[in-house]
Amino acid sequence: MKILGLFRHAKSDWNDARLRDFDRPLNARGRAGAEVMGKYVREHGVPWARFVASPAVRVTQTMEIAAKAARITPHVVWDRRVYLANSETLIEVLREQEGDPPSIMLCGHNPGLEDLIFDLVPDDGSNPLRDEVEEKFPTAAFAVLELDIENWDDVTEGCARLVHLVRPRDLDPSLAPQLSD
């Protein structure tokens, strides 16, 4: 069995229209969400063996703030393919992980992360967490999947169970979506 964590970047700032999408930073609520989620991810207790992330500014800032809050210094593999990747690309990234770590935290963007959950977790009506993801996998959401595989290169559709899901608003009501979102 392998464990896959999915961590979507926190809320980004749209105020500077001159910035490329890749360069958008976090806004104040995003920074607060990244901090809350970083502490939570640490307390959740999975020892993440590898971190793979998009190098987009909003992801790097999310990772930096979350790692500081979690009091860890992760070695992050920054993979440009994760930036706005679809599920197929994310599966390819997972299959290519060397050294076969027991757990991987994948940090990136929607709709790719959400679609990855839909592709890996069967839609058999037995998982209420999957139903919640169908409603929305919001910014700074954190999900944990257990994959019934021996090696990462065995990742295939339907091989996982979604066993955990938490959003910033679940931990701090002030981080719930605002009318302006």
Side-chain angles (χ1 to χ4, degrees), residues 52-101:
V52 179
S54 161
V57 170
R58 59 192 179 274
V59 177
T60 62
Q61 289 180 338
T62 298
M63 293 294 298
E64 289 167 3
I65 293 167
K68 183 176 179 184
R71 296 188 306 265
I72 62 171
T73 307
H75 170 73
V76 180
V77 176
W78 303 104
D79 190 327
R80 180 74 182 211
R81 295 175 299 167
V82 177
Y83 174 64
L84 302 180
N86 62 24
S87 177
E88 290 176 6
T89 300
L90 295 174
I91 288 172
E92 179 182 312
V93 168
L94 291 170
R95 286 178 179 158
E96 293 175 2
Q97 293 305 303
E98 295 180 4
D100 211 30

Side-chain angles (χ1 to χ4, degrees), residues 26-137:
L26 297 181
N27 65 18
R29 196 164 59 114
R31 289 188 296 277
E35 183 175 352
V36 165
M37 295 306 292
K39 290 176 187 174
Y40 181 82
V41 169
R42 179 194 71 228
E43 293 166 2
H44 184 67
V46 173
W48 299 105
R50 180 166 302 155
F51 293 81
V52 179
S54 161
V57 170
R58 59 192 179 274
V59 177
T60 62
Q61 289 180 338
T62 298
M63 293 294 298
E64 289 167 3
I65 293 167
K68 183 176 179 184
R71 296 188 306 265
I72 62 171
T73 307
H75 170 73
V76 180
V77 176
W78 303 104
D79 190 327
R80 180 74 182 211
R81 295 175 299 167
V82 177
Y83 174 64
L84 302 180
N86 62 24
S87 177
E88 290 176 6
T89 300
L90 295 174
I91 288 172
E92 179 182 312
V93 168
L94 291 170
R95 286 178 179 158
E96 293 175 2
Q97 293 305 303
E98 295 180 4
D100 211 30
S103 60
I104 294 175
M105 174 76 77
L106 182 60
C107 307
H109 311 265
N110 254 3
L113 292 179
E114 184 175 295
D115 289 342
L116 183 61
I117 292 171
F118 297 148
D119 287 346
L120 295 182
V121 179
D123 185 11
D124 59 10
S126 67
N127 192 326
L129 295 177
R130 189 183 190 286
D131 296 340
E132 287 186 47
V133 172
E134 284 187 22
E135 288 179 31
K136 187 172 186 182
F137 191 66

Side-chain angles (χ1 to χ4, degrees), residues 131-166:
D131 296 340
E132 287 186 47
V133 172
E134 284 187 22
E135 288 179 31
K136 187 172 186 182
F137 191 66
T139 52
F142 167 63
V144 178
L145 291 79
E146 292 177 348
L147 285 69
D148 293 321
I149 58 173
E150 293 294 320
N151 303 296
W152 287 104
D153 60 2
D154 296 331
V155 173
T156 187
E157 289 189 18
C159 72
R161 290 176 307 283
L162 180 58
V163 296
H164 192 75
L165 174 68
V166 70

Side-chain angles (χ1 to χ4, degrees), residues 12-35:
S12 60
D13 191 343
W14 289 85
N15 289 334
D16 189 346
R18 296 171 298 162
L19 290 177
R20 297 179 311 152
D21 178 75
F22 187 89
D23 297 323
R24 283 189 295 112
L26 297 181
N27 65 18
R29 196 164 59 114
R31 289 188 296 277
E35 183 175 352

